[in-house]
Amino acid sequence: MIIDIIICLAVMLFLQLLTPFWWWIMMVPFLYGIVKARSGWKGFGVGMASAGLLWLFGSLYYWLTGGGIIAQRVAMMMKLGSPLLLIAAITLVAVLAGGFAGNSGYFLRTALRRD
Amino acid sequence: MRWLSLILSAGVALGLFYFLNFPHDVLPPLGKFLNPYAGFWQNNAASDKIPSVLDVRGLKDSVMVLWDDRRVPHIFARNDYDLYFAQGYLTACDRLWQMEFQIFATAGRLSEIVGKQALDYDRFLRRIGMVYAAENSLKEMLTHPETRTILEAYTAGVNGYIHSLSSKNLPLEYKILDYKPEAWTPLKSALLVKYMAWSLTSYNIKDLFITRALAALGEAETARLYPRYPPFTDPIIPPGTPWNFHPQIPEKPKSDFQPATRAMPNSIEFTPHLGSNNWAVSGEKTSSGYPILCNDPHLVLNLPSIWYEIQLVSPQVNVYGVSLPGVPFVITGFNSEVAWGLTNAETDVIDWYEIEFKDDTKLEYLYDDKWRPTTVRIEKIKVRGERTVLDTVYYTHHGPVVYQKTEAPFDKWIPPGSAMRWTGHDPSNESLTFLKLNRARDYDDYFEALSHYDCPGQNFAFASTEGDIAIWHNGKFPLRWQGQGRYINDGRNSTYDWQGWIPRAQLPHIKNPNRGFVSSANQYPTDENYPYYLTGSYLPFERGARINERLAKMENITPQDMIALQNDVMDLHARKILPVLLSLLDIQSLTQDEIQSYEELKSWNYEYRAELIAPTIFEYWWKELSNMIWLDDMKSPLGELQIPLRDVTTSLILTEPNSHYFDIRTTPDKETLSDLAIKSFQSAIKKLTEELGSLDYNWEWGKARGTDMNHLGRIPGLGRTGLPTNGSECTVNMKHPLFVGPSWRMVVALGEEVKAWGIYPGGQSGNPGSQFYDNAVDDWVAGKIYELLYLKSPHDKHELLAGKTVMWGEK
């Protein structure tokens, strides 16, 4: 499962650095769910972890390399108050999006599978 | 069961996708916005890094840019085309969103960005003909070969930057509001000039009000409460200056036209607020023997700031100052030989003409007993997420009929059924003035440059290394008969049309006056002997009077003295009226709290300092007093009248202490001025206590009335609020409750080597994630000012230089 997470993470990061689309955090877990997940929980877990880590690490990276001011302002704009809460909220968004995408990928496969 | 799991899970996933991919009400599309790899995180301070090389298609040659430690670009180009190309490119780098947003706000296109909530505002801008005005201006700008080339170069530069952008490095506001920049055009630069023109001339649209006052009060009382010539003055041109010309003044028509307009805006105290200071002192009064020029334009303070600081150098020019993001050139600044600064002229260049249409089609209107055709302009207002709205605007030869009789105006001062005559609609090329001022070497160059300038009228102060100082009340001002334009005009009668223009050479001006200085602060420009009829929303005279009072006393002036004068907070209104008001109070009848407030006022030196309590008490007291004097008298059968300007009230107190206006009509008693003084004082203290708590540091002026610098698009979190600023509406360091203040302070000491200082509240970068977004704000509040780096060559070395960029053209 850890290996699956790392692979998903690597694929997402690669696609993300090439293109600006945010929805790789849903698309990649969804495909993982269709192709490889062994259970709905696994689809959810791998999607959740890889997407969450991708956005958590991304946020931390940009926060620590000159993002202090923008984080403070956006946190104020979104009425979250602190950059840490903002980063937590960003991670939560990715966790939910990646998790449900991976989960629904798995259920799509099982729904279409011929018995 | 499998299908149920799929439906549930996919339902949540699709719901999340939908929620994250699209904007919702005030929220940006969160997926895009929060994605660390392309969303808001990309607008971090790492983008402040100065690139050593920029490959830019469209330059003719390489351009060197030196950056100082405040991110001011000093551009060295080998030709003028490249110079203005680079100005456009670099301004866009730092201010693209602001540049475009200001244009959308001027052209009536905000609905495209924010949806139908901006529709009425957009329709209003279409109705007053902002794009029509810009189109007329643009034709002139393109007719002149030099301004044409420069405008095209600037446009190419802005577009060069826009084309280099990918979605991840779009300015933050595009990500928040979820749209993309479109190409820049020369029309957009013309629109920005009109944005300034409308901001600086449009509070002269109160003719409707004065027309109603005349109907309600009659001529004598209207002249008394709303005098054309203010009760106290210290004009720009020293009183007694002779006017050595034969004026051509048109005759007043023999007509007793009564406007039919019946709408009456409700009473509010009208306070003109966009002003400015400028002055120049001659070498006879300075320690260096060379003139010093100072300027601080007062505008609404936003982030990003309205100004962008820049130095522009080519073989033809080397100028430093502030520019307006969206137009080439430096607007107020200096070169090695001359310096100039602007203040708003305030002279009225907008009049209203009541129109009689032949029928409901509005295709013809009556003029000198004949039916004339209107010109119809169809405005297409695109609305985000909705159908495009079409609007028809009818133009007469006067100008557009802004609102029909049956329509409710967006701006309540606009008389329905009237056409607007505005000099801003006429073809003009103000950019030529700035082109020439940027390159001026002496007084003659300055004088020539001014002749191309029409709207918005400005007081241009000037100083040269040769030793000249001067000021011109300059612009295209209508030639009016006595009283013309104060009331709504008869649009059917040609004698009500403007009869031409005040000849340029006869505009109020003075060169090298005996007193050794020139100055202006938006006050009435002349004494009453000036032969032409000038009317307008001139600002109270106190700022100008304070500047003149100080300059008259000063000798051996240094730049530091001038910086101190720009930060002066002595309030002449308080100095004049407060001792009189305090003498009217009977201390025996006051409570303990009231006595404490009384003591604060008694020991006050009339300075509006942020840490003092007295200014707050005085402001509240004056407001209460003014309301008590006037509110009961402002009811008329035609509706509520406007409270007279402050100086009329002051004059009444000082010269007519027994006036019937002091009696409150709604009470059976007969009140006197003393009664009102004590009642209003008690009421003010009560109000203060209710609003700010008991007398304490909460009452400090800087806390009670701090300055908010909002984001230009009113996006929360991106402004700076509650700044503890000094100053009042009539101190030299000006502060207005609508968050207007010194938007740029500049002091230029001419000499063998020109030296200058400047600061504006904000920072060079428009990126809210940049350390240069608001880096100057606290220093500006504290009254500090920076030394400006006037470089001579791209190889100059200076400790304040932070980096260098080479912009390459096509190789």
Side-chain angles (χ1 to χ4, degrees):
Chain A
M1 176 144 164
I2 290 174
I3 293 179
D4 289 357
I5 292 173
I6 291 171
I7 291 170
C8 276
L9 192 61
V11 171
M12 278 194 276
L13 183 64
F14 176 73
L15 292 166
Q16 190 67 81
L17 293 178
L18 282 183
T19 64
F21 310 118
W22 73 270
W23 35 252
W24 292 123
I25 58 161
M26 295 191 81
M27 190 66 82
V28 173
F30 181 69
L31 292 173
Y32 168 81
I34 292 178
V35 176
K36 196 144 182 298
R38 297 239 190 88
S39 70
W41 284 113
K42 217 162 171 193
F44 193 94
V46 170
M48 168 183 107
S50 56
L53 286 172
L54 184 77
W55 277 27
L56 174 64
F57 287 146
S59 299
L60 288 174
Y61 173 78
Y62 289 111
W63 188 40
L64 297 173
T65 55
I69 303 170
I70 193 70
Q72 189 64 46
R73 292 200 182 279
V74 172
M76 271 163 70
M77 182 185 96
M78 304 189 84
K79 308 214 177 343
L80 291 168
S82 102
L84 283 172
L85 268 180
L86 175 67
I87 293 170
I90 291 170
T91 310
L92 180 69
V93 166
V95 159
L96 292 174
F100 280 102
N103 187 251
S104 52
Y106 171 79
F107 284 124
L108 182 67
R109 189 178 82 206
T110 53
L112 297 175
R113 191 175 57 205
R114 293 192 185 170
D115 294 305
Chain B
M1 184 63 196
R2 275 191 254 140
W3 285 98
L4 186 64
S5 304
L6 174 66
I7 288 164
L8 281 177
S9 175
V12 176
L14 283 171
L16 274 167
F17 179 85
Y18 176 81
F19 177 69
L20 295 174
N21 201 52
F22 299 102
H24 302 278
D25 199 17
V26 294
L27 283 180
L30 285 175
K32 274 193 239 180
F33 186 68
L34 299 179
N35 176 9
Y37 305 90
F40 77 85
W41 284 110
Q42 296 295 321
N43 302 81
N44 65 12
S47 54
D48 291 342
K49 195 169 166 289
I50 296 167
S52 56
V53 175
L54 277 174
D55 279 314
V56 183
R57 197 176 284 191
L59 284 172
K60 294 186 195 303
D61 208 329
S62 64
V63 173
M64 287 279 260
V65 185
L66 305 189
W67 301 86
D68 65 30
D69 63 339
R70 292 183 295 112
R71 201 179 166 82
V72 177
H74 305 253
I75 306 175
F76 290 84
R78 293 200 167 92
N79 59 70
D80 275 355
Y81 184 91
D82 283 355
L83 181 64
Y84 296 105
F85 184 103
Q87 185 184 8
Y89 188 97
L90 296 173
T91 308
C93 272
D94 277 333
R95 300 290 185 86
L96 178 63
W97 177 80
Q98 172 193 10
M99 288 168 74
E100 198 181 49
F101 185 79
Q102 288 175 167
I103 297 314
F104 274 59
T106 309
R109 294 182 58 190
L110 282 187
S111 303
E112 286 177 45
I113 305 173
V114 301
K116 64 180 174 199
Q117 53 172 315
L119 193 55
D120 284 342
Y121 174 76
D122 282 348
R123 189 183 283 121
F124 166 66
L125 289 160
R126 308 291 180 113
R127 293 285 185 92
I128 58 173
M130 291 304 278
V131 178
Y132 166 75
E135 285 168 355
N136 288 340
S137 236
L138 181 63
K139 275 184 215 143
E140 280 293 302
M141 288 155 102
L142 297 180
T143 306
H144 189 279
E146 247 184 313
T147 49
R148 180 190 187 110
T149 310
I150 290 171
L151 206 54
E152 285 169 355
Y154 187 88
T155 302
V158 177
N159 286 330
Y161 177 70
I162 293 174
H163 292 143
S164 77
L165 284 174
S166 65
S167 64
K168 81 174 194 180
N169 48 28
L170 281 177
L172 181 73
E173 291 90 342
Y174 289 106
K175 296 180 181 176
I176 295 172
L177 300 166
D178 191 34
Y179 71 112
K180 285 195 164 59
E182 57 175 40
W184 192 260
T185 59
L187 180 68
K188 292 184 179 175
S189 293
L191 273 162
L192 188 72
V193 177
K194 295 303 160 188
Y195 171 81
M196 295 308 292
W198 181 253
S199 318
L200 293 172
T201 58
S202 62
Y203 46 72
N204 274 317
I205 61 171
K206 314 293 190 262
D207 306 358
L208 167 62
F209 161 70
I210 206 87
T211 301
R212 302 315 298 150
L214 182 69
L217 301 171
E219 208 158 323
E221 212 51 19
T222 303
R224 184 176 173 207
L225 297 186
Y226 312 102
R228 176 186 73 91
Y229 198 81
F232 307 104
T233 50
D234 189 341
I236 298 171
I237 309 305
T241 302
W243 305 105
N244 300 320
F245 53 80
H246 296 289
Q248 310 281 317
I249 297 168
E251 234 173 88
K252 192 175 176 175
K254 290 187 185 65
S255 145
D256 53 353
F257 170 65
Q258 298 288 329
T261 311
R262 287 284 153 189
M264 185 70 193
N266 275 334
S267 160
I268 51 161
E269 197 169 0
F270 168 65
T271 53
H273 50 274
L274 299 180
S276 307
N277 306 317
N278 62 11
W279 64 84
V281 287
S282 89
E284 288 160 28
K285 285 178 79 79
T286 65
S287 67
S288 72
Y290 286 98
I292 301 178
L293 179 136
C294 306
N295 186 200
D296 54 300
H298 308 157
L299 298 169
V300 177
L301 304 174
N302 285 317
L303 285 174
S305 160
I306 190 157
W307 300 113
Y308 187 70
E309 209 175 317
I310 202 159
Q311 183 178 3
L312 300 170
V313 192
S314 81
Q316 285 76 38
V317 62
N318 184 352
V319 64
Y320 191 114
V322 284
S323 61
L324 290 167
V327 284
F329 311 113
V330 161
I331 302 298
T332 150
F334 61 94
N335 58 38
S336 59
E337 305 296 323
V338 311
W340 75 97
L342 313 179
T343 68
N344 198 20
E346 316 289 339
T347 293
D348 188 7
V349 290
I350 298 178
D351 279 350
W352 298 95
Y353 289 87
E354 211 164 77
I355 296 299
E356 185 180 336
F357 287 116
K358 189 173 184 184
D359 51 39
D360 284 347
T361 64
K362 304 182 190 71
L363 296 177
E364 288 178 278
Y365 66 103
L366 192 61
Y367 184 66
D368 278 350
D369 301 324
K370 290 194 189 72
W371 295 106
R372 272 207 185 192
T374 51
T375 310
V376 176
R377 194 179 159 108
I378 309 281
E379 297 285 351
K380 296 190 179 89
I381 310 173
K382 288 187 200 156
V383 185
R384 188 173 190 157
E386 316 235 346
R387 284 171 57 179
T388 297
V389 173
L390 297 182
D391 191 43
T392 312
V393 190
Y394 300 90
Y395 283 73
T396 66
H397 74 286
H398 302 290
V401 179
V402 181
Y403 289 100
Q404 303 301 337
K405 280 181 189 146
T406 49
E407 290 176 315
F410 177 80
D411 183 325
K412 64 182 181 181
W413 298 102
I414 291 181
S418 291
M420 181 172 88
R421 177 74 184 98
W422 178 35
T423 53
H425 283 139
D426 300 349
S428 63
N429 187 3
E430 285 76 14
S431 64
L432 195 53
T433 299
F434 294 108
L435 168 76
K436 294 192 173 196
L437 277 177
N438 284 199
R439 289 149 202 243
R441 316 302 296 168
D442 55 24
Y443 178 84
D444 291 343
D445 289 349
Y446 150 83
F447 178 70
E448 205 282 321
L450 260 50
S451 66
H452 305 284
Y453 190 93
D454 287 354
C455 181
Q458 298 286 300
N459 302 302
F460 285 78
F462 169 85
S464 73
T465 310
E466 284 181 358
D468 287 326
I469 58 167
I471 196 161
W472 278 81
H473 184 75
N474 187 55
K476 185 164 120 172
F477 300 125
L479 194 57
R480 293 174 158 120
W481 33 268
Q482 196 70 21
Q484 186 180 8
R486 200 161 137 80
Y487 314 105
I488 295 169
N489 296 294
D490 189 352
R492 298 164 305 185
N493 182 344
S494 60
T495 55
Y496 280 81
D497 286 15
W498 288 346
Q499 311 290 314
W501 315 105
I502 300 178
R504 294 278 172 163
Q506 299 175 6
L507 287 171
H509 67 278
I510 193 142
K511 183 186 175 191
N512 299 327
N514 291 334
R515 63 183 185 183
F517 64 88
V518 296
S519 78
S520 75
N522 321 103
Q523 73 270 49
Y524 200 93
T526 64
D527 62 13
E528 284 187 276
N529 294 325
Y530 182 65
Y532 290 106
Y533 180 76
L534 294 177
T535 176
S537 292
Y538 303 102
L539 268 60
F541 85 117
E542 286 91 351
R543 262 188 301 121
R546 176 62 178 168
I547 293 166
N548 294 346
E549 160 185 295
R550 292 291 304 131
L551 290 179
K553 283 192 190 138
M554 290 165 127
E555 295 297 336
N556 287 319
I557 296 172
T558 64
Q560 281 62 42
D561 296 332
M562 299 289 84
I563 293 164
L565 181 53
Q566 282 185 333
N567 283 288
D568 187 283
V569 286
M570 167 63 69
D571 186 297
L572 263 50
H573 168 63
R575 192 173 77 182
K576 181 161 53 189
I577 200 71
L578 184 58
V580 177
L581 295 182
L582 285 174
S583 73
L584 294 171
L585 290 188
D586 171 16
I587 313 168
Q588 309 302 326
S589 63
L590 300 180
T591 66
Q592 198 54 42
D593 279 0
E594 288 160 1
I595 288 174
Q596 213 182 331
S597 298
Y598 171 85
E599 294 298 337
E600 286 283 345
L601 289 177
K602 193 96 188 161
S603 60
W604 184 32
N605 62 358
Y606 315 114
E607 288 192 339
Y608 271 69
R609 297 204 171 278
E611 66 276 13
L612 296 180
I613 284 173
T616 314
I617 302 172
F618 177 65
E619 286 283 320
Y620 271 72
W621 186 10
W622 179 260
K623 176 103 185 131
E624 288 299 299
L625 178 63
S626 175
N627 283 344
M628 274 186 197
I629 297 173
W630 294 117
L631 282 183
D632 57 312
D633 300 299
M634 294 293 108
K635 310 249 185 299
S636 90
L638 298 171
E640 268 181 57
L641 297 176
Q642 182 190 339
I643 291 182
L645 286 181
R646 194 196 56 203
D647 283 356
V648 174
T649 315
T650 310
S651 166
L652 192 75
I653 293 171
L654 294 177
T655 60
E656 297 176 64
N658 299 318
S659 166
H660 67 87
Y661 283 115
F662 295 124
D663 177 37
I664 302 176
R665 294 188 197 192
T666 48
T667 63
D669 301 336
K670 181 132 183 80
E671 285 86 1
T672 64
L673 175 59
S674 303
D675 295 334
L676 257 57
I678 194 146
K679 266 189 189 198
S680 59
F681 182 73
Q682 287 169 330
S683 158
I685 304 305
K686 187 162 166 266
K687 228 177 201 168
L688 268 163
T689 314
E690 280 165 12
E691 288 176 19
L692 305 172
S694 55
L695 197 153
D696 203 342
Y697 61 87
N698 285 331
W699 288 29
E700 285 174 9
W701 178 239
K703 291 200 181 67
R705 180 111 12 110
T707 296
D708 286 357
M709 291 179 53
N710 290 307
H711 178 260
L712 181 63
R714 298 292 177 272
I715 296 173
L718 305 186
R720 289 282 303 267
T721 52
L723 299 168
T725 44
N726 296 324
S728 77
E729 281 167 59
C730 53
T731 55
V732 179
N733 181 7
M734 189 264 203
K735 162 156 103 176
H736 190 278
L738 294 175
F739 309 134
V740 171
S743 62
W744 160 242
R745 292 192 185 112
M746 176 180 80
V747 174
V748 184
L750 292 159
E752 280 165 27
E753 293 287 326
V754 62
K755 283 196 155 190
W757 293 261
I759 189 169
Y760 67 81
Q764 287 286 91
S765 173
N767 173 16
S770 162
Q771 57 163 317
F772 296 104
Y773 179 66
D774 62 350
N775 54 308
V777 171
D778 295 325
D779 284 346
W780 174 85
V781 171
K784 291 183 188 157
I785 195 163
Y786 306 126
E787 189 177 345
L788 309 180
L789 219 52
Y790 184 73
L791 301 176
K792 301 265 175 63
S793 131
H795 310 296
D796 279 2
K797 302 254 181 294
H798 197 284
E799 57 186 13
L800 294 179
L801 285 176
K804 186 185 280 190
T805 302
V806 184
M807 296 173 77
W808 294 108
E810 280 168 294
K811 277 177 277 185

